[in-house]
Amino acid sequence: MTQAPAPSRTTRRLHDREIVALAVPAFGALVAEPLFVLADSAIVGHLGTAQLAGLGVASALLTTAVSVFVFLAYATTAAVARRVGAGDLNAAIRQGMDGIWLALLIGITVIAVVLPTAPVLVDVFGASDTAAPYATTYLRISALGIPAMLVVLAATGVLRGLQDTKTPLYVAVAGFVANAVLNAGLVYGAGLGIAGSAWGTVIAQCGMAAVYLTVVVRGARGHGASLRPDAAGIRACAQAGAPLLVRTLSLRAILMIATAVAARLGDADIAAHQIVLSLWSLLAFALDAIAIAGQAIIGRYLGADDTRGARQACRRMVEWGIAVGVVLGVLVVIARPVFLPLFTSDSVVKDAALPALVIVALSQPVCGVVFVLDGVLMGAGDGPYLAWAMLLTLAVFTPAALLVPTAGGGLTALWAAMTLMMTVRMLTLWLRARSGRWLVTGATR
């Protein structure tokens, strides 16, 4: 990492307070998001196995579709934070509105694709004959909420860029409660079955989008920012987001390859892999919260032409990432005997998962550095480098993972390959951070 003067104790405390103030609410909002699917599953599960299976397929498709466009939050956070650092709140909110308009355009396009192709998509994902009709119904209705979901992503990025992670937390919690109440009422009270669950989710997502839009529009009017779509601004948002889209798709490819390899190892290994992957994803929320703080803080420093502050903040956040990673690793080791019985009573599955969990625990400090530096470089608007680095990581991981079934080692070897993947990511990100080439100042990159 670029050498920065060692910050004083007062400076470290200021960084610590700011990181905590942004990261803790961000963590709460991140955890609230998967609870939507959990609530839907709990309610739909009582309708029958076929309905629950259909929900599982449709939810996987929707989650993939939305997660691919997470750059709407990341790119918007960095761009808005730069404008905030430069002291131009009018331009910051205008930048955020461009991101929201882009989200709407993408959402409408996705609806146009999903509605006519829903049966084909459900079939490709392997839904059974009994589950397919339910999956198609849920997917078609829920697709109508995709523009709202994407607006939520973009508007969340606007507020994060404005150094506000509390509002997204409040909206996420309120959205979860509304979703649960609506689902229960429409599924059982109105007797709509799985369609009621889909409509409940759509209404909750639209409500969340409406709240975000109200907050952003109020801010725009307060600072005299235009609400009209600007073709040049929308195009600039798309260009900034394109490299992050490549990064996200590469990461999704890595996770899909890992799951495909685990499936080839046998039923016990794929079951154990899903358990380990679920825990790995949960741990990622804690580390991603620090990354979100990094996006907002680094963007603001660079917008204010303060490279020294950006370097010192980066250094402190890396220290946070390592420390949180160590704590998470210790917790995984301690909680293994309690964690596994929550998911399975099969001793074969437990035996496969135990050594993989040890690897996950040992890799958490590495993951901490990766998430933090990923957030720092996103905040700096260094998307093209992140795209190339992730493509390189995919190129290293793919042959290593594909060799697992023939080379032996089972699930333990696969998660060793996952740790190799994270190590490659850490090296590429550390080299970039150390070079200082990401320290591009100004209201725009």
Side-chain angles (χ1 to χ4, degrees), residues 163-377:
Q163 317 296 296
D164 176 9
T165 57
K166 290 183 179 179
T167 300
L169 171 60
Y170 301 148
V171 176
V173 172
F176 165 70
V177 173
N179 178 68
V181 172
L182 286 166
N183 268 259
L186 293 174
V187 171
Y188 297 111
L192 296 179
I194 195 169
S197 177
W199 281 117
T201 300
V202 169
I203 295 170
Q205 292 287 353
C206 288
M208 292 171 65
V211 172
Y212 274 119
L213 288 175
T214 299
V215 173
V216 174
V217 168
R218 185 182 299 149
R221 288 176 176 169
H223 292 90
S226 173
L227 299 174
R228 296 177 181 176
D230 176 67
I234 294 172
R235 187 165 52 250
C237 287
Q239 290 172 345
L244 296 181
L245 176 61
V246 173
R247 167 201 168 275
T248 301
L249 289 173
S250 300
L251 181 56
R252 296 293 300 184
I254 286 171
L255 296 178
M256 288 176 65
I257 290 170
T259 300
V261 170
R264 292 176 60 188
L265 297 175
D267 290 347
D269 284 298
I270 185 61
H273 175 72
Q274 288 305 113
I275 294 172
V276 176
L277 184 61
S278 297
L279 177 62
W280 189 78
S281 300
L282 178 63
L283 299 174
F285 285 135
L287 299 173
D288 201 26
I290 305 174
I292 288 169
Q295 293 170 28
I297 294 169
I298 295 298
R300 193 191 71 232
Y301 272 120
L302 294 180
D305 296 328
D306 187 355
T307 57
R308 182 174 183 271
R311 287 196 300 266
Q312 289 184 341
C314 176
R315 175 175 174 172
R316 190 57 178 163
M317 280 184 283
V318 168
E319 292 170 355
W320 266 85
I322 294 171
V324 173
V326 170
V327 172
L328 292 176
V330 171
L331 289 176
V332 170
V333 172
I334 294 174
R336 280 185 309 156
V338 178
F339 176 76
L340 284 174
L342 294 176
F343 290 87
T344 182
S345 57
D346 190 328
S347 59
V348 178
V349 175
K350 289 180 182 178
D351 290 342
L354 278 172
L357 284 175
V358 172
I359 293 177
V360 168
L362 293 174
S363 68
Q364 286 309 295
V366 173
C367 293
V369 175
V370 169
F371 275 85
V372 167
L373 291 181
D374 206 38
V376 165
L377 296 183

Side-chain angles (χ1 to χ4, degrees), residues 31 50-51 68 78 101 119 160 200 222-223 232 329 343 348 353 392 421 423 425:
V31 170
Q51 288 91 332
V68 162
W101 280 112
R160 289 173 180 170
H223 292 90
F343 290 87
V348 178
L392 173 63
M421 177 270 292
T423 303
R425 287 187 70 188

Side-chain angles (χ1 to χ4, degrees), residues 114-129:
V114 171
L115 288 182
T117 61
V120 177
L121 293 172
V122 166
D123 184 60
V124 168
F125 263 60
S128 66
D129 291 340

